């Protein structure tokens, strides 16, 4: 029984020629993978959500339906929060640069971007008020002063804490997107 998908002698002409999803320059994509801290926190939050949703089922079976509906709403809000936590980060496309926070998403068209560069500065540790010395990917816009814009990525964020090589790779990728799409 021949298995053509496992052998090197299959013909590549028979494969369908289709554009890969990353070939579309207008599709929003994150130029790096979410870090282990972000994924770990989201996993713990989803574990908490599973307990809350299980409590909603138990409350619906033994208690009053309005109370179960409230607990179900809290569980769904926790799930939505965990998914939003995983969605946070910097996204790029041919249209611009998008910085997605937990509550706010800001999109900057490439025409407004002056430069994107890596700078050495005090950065917030895991998004908390405490600052440490690190690197940040700074966005300079035409319509705002450079000090007014928060950094896009930092070496001490949930995605890059303890992974300086991943930060360098992500910063280089975003800088390359900015250089390629800079129109101003």
């Amino acid at each position: 029984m021949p298995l053509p998908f496992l052998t090197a002698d299959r013909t590549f002409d028979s494969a369908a020629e289709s554009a890969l999803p990353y070939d579309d320059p207008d599709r929003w994509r994150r130029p790096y993978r979410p870090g282990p801290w972000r994924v770990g926190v989201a996993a713990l939050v989803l574990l908490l959500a599973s307990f809350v949703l299980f409590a909603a089922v138990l409350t619906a079976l033994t208690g009053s339906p309005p109370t179960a509906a409230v607990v179900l709403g809290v569980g769904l809000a926790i799930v939505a929060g965990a998914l939003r936590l995983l969605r946070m980060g910097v996204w790029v496309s041919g249209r611009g640069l998008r910085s997605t926070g937990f509550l706010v998403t800001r999109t900057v068209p490439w025409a407004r971007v002056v430069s994107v560069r890596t700078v050495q500065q005090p950065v917030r540790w895991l998004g908390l008020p405490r600052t440490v010395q690190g690197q940040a990917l700074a966005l300079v816009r035409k319509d705002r002063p450079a000090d007014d814009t928060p950094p896009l990525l930092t070496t001490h964020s949930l995605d890059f804490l303890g992974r300086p090589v991943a930060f360098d790779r992500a910063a280089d990728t975003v800088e390359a997107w900015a250089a390629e799409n800079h129109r101003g």
Side-chain angles (χ1 to χ4, degrees), residues 81-102:
L83 293 176
R84 187 64 183 182
L85 179 68
L86 287 173
R87 188 92 174 133
M88 289 172 56
V90 174
W91 298 76
V92 292
S93 82
R95 290 178 273 168
L97 184 90
R98 182 173 284 175
S99 178
T100 304
F102 191 73

Side-chain angles (χ1 to χ4, degrees), residues 7-110:
T7 61
D9 60 345
R10 79 175 178 151
T11 60
F12 290 103
D13 297 332
S14 63
E17 295 292 329
S18 63
L20 296 173
Y22 55 81
D23 285 339
D24 183 15
D26 289 331
R27 181 172 177 239
W28 289 102
R29 69 184 63 92
R30 186 184 329 197
Y32 58 92
R33 292 182 179 160
W37 286 91
R38 183 175 306 281
V39 173
V41 169
L44 290 175
V45 170
L46 286 174
L47 181 65
L48 172 68
S50 69
F51 288 121
V52 172
L53 293 173
F54 184 67
V57 170
L58 290 179
T59 305
L61 293 175
T62 61
S64 65
T67 305
V70 169
V71 175
L72 177 67
V74 169
L76 293 176
I78 293 172
V79 169
L83 293 176
R84 187 64 183 182
L85 179 68
L86 287 173
R87 188 92 174 133
M88 289 172 56
V90 174
W91 298 76
V92 292
S93 82
R95 290 178 273 168
L97 184 90
R98 182 173 284 175
S99 178
T100 304
F102 191 73
L103 297 175
V104 178
T105 298
R106 292 181 179 91
T107 303
V108 180
W110 291 118

Side-chain angles (χ1 to χ4, degrees), residues 66-153:
T67 305
V70 169
V71 175
L72 177 67
V74 169
L76 293 176
I78 293 172
V79 169
L83 293 176
R84 187 64 183 182
L85 179 68
L86 287 173
R87 188 92 174 133
M88 289 172 56
V90 174
W91 298 76
V92 292
S93 82
R95 290 178 273 168
L97 184 90
R98 182 173 284 175
S99 178
T100 304
F102 191 73
L103 297 175
V104 178
T105 298
R106 292 181 179 91
T107 303
V108 180
W110 291 118
R112 289 190 193 162
V113 173
V114 174
S115 69
V116 177
R117 64 187 192 292
T118 304
V119 294
Q120 189 84 14
Q121 69 180 32
V123 296
R124 293 171 56 178
W125 183 75
L126 294 177
L128 299 172
R130 178 178 178 228
T131 59
V132 294
Q133 192 64 29
Q135 290 183 343
L137 187 66
L139 170 69
V140 179
R141 297 172 52 167
K142 287 182 182 178
D143 54 349
R144 288 195 182 165
D147 297 338
D148 192 28
T149 307
L152 297 173
L153 305 172

